[in-house]
Amino acid sequence: MSHTEHDLKETLAEHSEGGGGGTARLEEIIARGRRIRRRRRWAATGTAVAALAVVAVLTPVPLPGGGVTDARIAAEVREPEGEGVRLAGARFENVGKAETISFTPRSDRTSYRVSCAGPVQAFVRFGDQIDHSRCGNEQALGRHAIGRLEGTKEGITAKVEVFTVPDSQVPADITAEKELSSEDFDRVLAQARTGSGLWEIAIHDGGVSTRSCSPDICLYSGTTLATKGERNLAGLPNSHSVRGGYFTETKKRFSVKTVVDGPGQVYVRCEGEDMYAFIWASEGVLAVAQPCGAKPAKWEFQANGGGVLVAVVRRDQVPSEVDFMRDLQTGAAKAKQLLRTLKSEPGNWEVSVQRWDEPESKVKRSVAPDGTITSYFTR
């Protein structure tokens, strides 16, 4: 028992002498405190996490013997500090499907980060520990769910189960205030529909931050090598965003002006599976025409001195008989013509122009049969 809980027990005992049910009420209060601390650990989102302190406080509680005590649980919960050594990590392009990650702890201090490209909820099961939280937000800015796996033991291999699911598929009784059981985990998973969605999980000894999150998920926070030189889980170049924006209209071209001297990449990420992105280089030549739903559309460039033009439309509005990329100049004209025939409508998507932070000499490329270019690295 912690010193805080011991003091609380003594205080509650003093206030509840002569009343019945004090012990049961006390255990309920302590359980509430633990649930709050766990939820607060899941609240870490957005910017790079170095060291966060969260204080969980219970409001005054009526006691069985009458009156109200001002005794409170004030248990400091320190989030993992810095970036520890990665024990395991994986990326997935699904929702509604449970994935199992095995790892071997190096200590009793093991952390995890679930990073998502779109607005979903993440569920994590480790033994009888069940955590859940939003991962990704309304603007798909790469929000994270960060926490600690409780009870890991050095050298003993363990497993974590994790899945993500859209808000619309989460039962109404699964709220942030509710402490979940394994039965709840299984129930949400059983009711979920499988689909497409990009997310990743990293498990670290010690702390875990957002700095090694893959740049196609963490569009704006940038990415660097994790401790001991681990690459981001997508194997993409270390980079940082030099320009970007969030848009709420589709079927309309937007200009993103920037100057990047050297190699980089442009990502267009859309909310919704059935979306399609067009990216024009600064000189007006079509650079990319591809889906941007389950994973972002991407264009790699060697230098970009004037920015890009970007538009997003629904996939069913793109003529299936048109190959926009076969002749880029003709494709650009056809894409402009398509947009002129469509009326703009609401839709959420975002774009990020990123500069690579590694020398070109370390970047190698492979080309898949479908023409997809994948970057990888030499040391």
Side-chain angles (χ1 to χ4, degrees):
M1 182 188 305
S2 71
H3 181 67
T4 302
E5 291 178 6
H6 176 73
D7 291 345
L8 177 62
K9 285 198 175 196
E10 288 188 348
T11 304
L12 288 175
E14 292 173 1
H15 283 270
S16 59
E17 283 185 0
T23 301
R25 183 58 177 164
L26 170 60
E27 296 304 328
E28 177 186 343
I29 294 170
I30 292 175
R32 283 187 61 195
R34 288 170 180 160
R35 288 197 296 269
I36 290 174
R37 294 199 295 274
R38 180 172 292 179
R39 290 198 301 272
R40 295 293 178 89
R41 287 201 297 272
W42 268 84
T45 59
T47 58
V49 177
L52 299 178
V54 178
V55 177
V57 180
L58 291 184
T59 54
V61 179
L63 294 174
V68 175
T69 178
D70 60 359
R72 299 179 178 185
I73 295 177
E76 185 182 60
V77 178
R78 295 192 181 278
E79 283 296 336
E81 298 180 3
E83 184 92 328
V85 176
R86 184 182 298 154
L87 302 175
R91 283 165 55 90
F92 304 99
E93 295 182 12
N94 61 51
V95 294
K97 181 177 182 295
E99 305 289 351
T100 301
I101 311 298
S102 298
F103 63 97
T104 302
R106 297 189 180 186
S107 69
D108 61 355
R109 189 167 177 268
T110 306
S111 307
Y112 65 86
R113 183 194 70 235
V114 180
S115 303
C116 309
V120 296
Q121 290 194 36
F123 290 77
V124 174
R125 175 159 62 187
F126 180 66
D128 61 358
Q129 175 184 341
I130 311 295
D131 291 334
H132 68 111
S133 176
R134 278 190 169 82
C135 182
N137 60 16
E138 293 79 8
Q139 297 184 1
L141 297 178
R143 184 176 176 177
H144 316 277
I146 294 176
R148 187 169 292 164
L149 300 176
E150 300 172 358
T152 56
K153 297 181 180 180
E154 180 180 356
I156 299 179
T157 299
K159 294 181 179 180
V160 163
E161 294 176 90
V162 58
F163 69 90
T164 63
V165 64
D167 283 348
S168 60
Q169 297 182 32
V170 178
D173 66 310
I174 304 297
T175 64
E177 291 74 27
K178 181 178 180 181
E179 184 176 22
L180 301 190
S181 65
S182 256
E183 289 74 19
D184 292 320
F185 183 97
D186 292 332
R187 174 167 59 96
V188 176
L189 180 59
Q191 295 178 9
R193 298 186 300 276
T194 57
S196 300
L198 179 62
W199 59 278
E200 64 185 28
I201 179 171
I203 300 175
H204 285 219
D205 178 65
V208 62
S209 75
T210 63
R211 70 177 187 173
S212 60
C213 176
S214 298
D216 57 344
I217 292 180
C218 302
L219 293 188
Y220 304 119
S221 63
T223 180
T224 62
L225 289 175
T227 301
K228 303 298 183 182
E230 297 103 334
R231 294 284 175 187
N232 59 71
L233 292 169
L236 291 166
N238 294 332
S239 59
H240 70 276
S241 180
V242 296
R243 187 62 62 113
Y246 179 77
F247 302 94
T248 58
E249 284 184 278
T250 62
K251 309 178 191 174
K252 182 178 179 180
R253 290 208 305 174
F254 291 89
S255 174
V256 182
K257 296 181 178 179
T258 187
V259 176
V260 180
D261 183 15
Q265 55 208 3
V266 176
Y267 285 112
V268 177
R269 192 163 64 197
C270 309
E271 291 186 17
E273 296 179 25
D274 300 319
M275 305 301 288
Y276 202 88
F278 295 95
I279 304 174
W280 290 266
S282 57
E283 60 270 20
V285 175
L286 188 65
V288 162
Q290 61 185 238
C292 62
K295 58 182 179 180
K298 180 176 74 169
W299 173 46
E300 292 184 358
F301 57 79
Q302 293 305 304
N304 183 7
V308 296
L309 292 172
V310 187
V312 168
V313 302
R314 291 204 319 265
R315 183 65 182 88
D316 60 8
Q317 295 168 333
V318 179
S320 58
E321 69 277 7
V322 176
D323 186 348
F324 290 94
M325 301 305 297
R326 180 171 296 175
D327 180 339
L328 293 180
Q329 290 187 339
T330 302
K334 291 181 178 179
K336 290 180 183 179
Q337 182 180 11
L338 171 66
L339 289 170
R340 283 197 296 266
T341 64
L342 298 174
K343 184 179 180 181
S344 64
E345 62 183 29
N348 298 327
W349 57 279
E350 59 186 336
V351 59
S352 174
V353 181
Q354 299 179 357
R355 187 181 74 190
W356 290 5
D357 295 331
E358 298 193 64
E360 175 70 11
S361 61
K362 288 190 174 182
V363 180
K364 305 299 179 183
R365 294 182 178 84
S366 64
V367 182
D370 63 359
T372 301
I373 299 176
T374 301
S375 297
Y376 62 97
F377 297 86
T378 60
R379 290 193 177 275

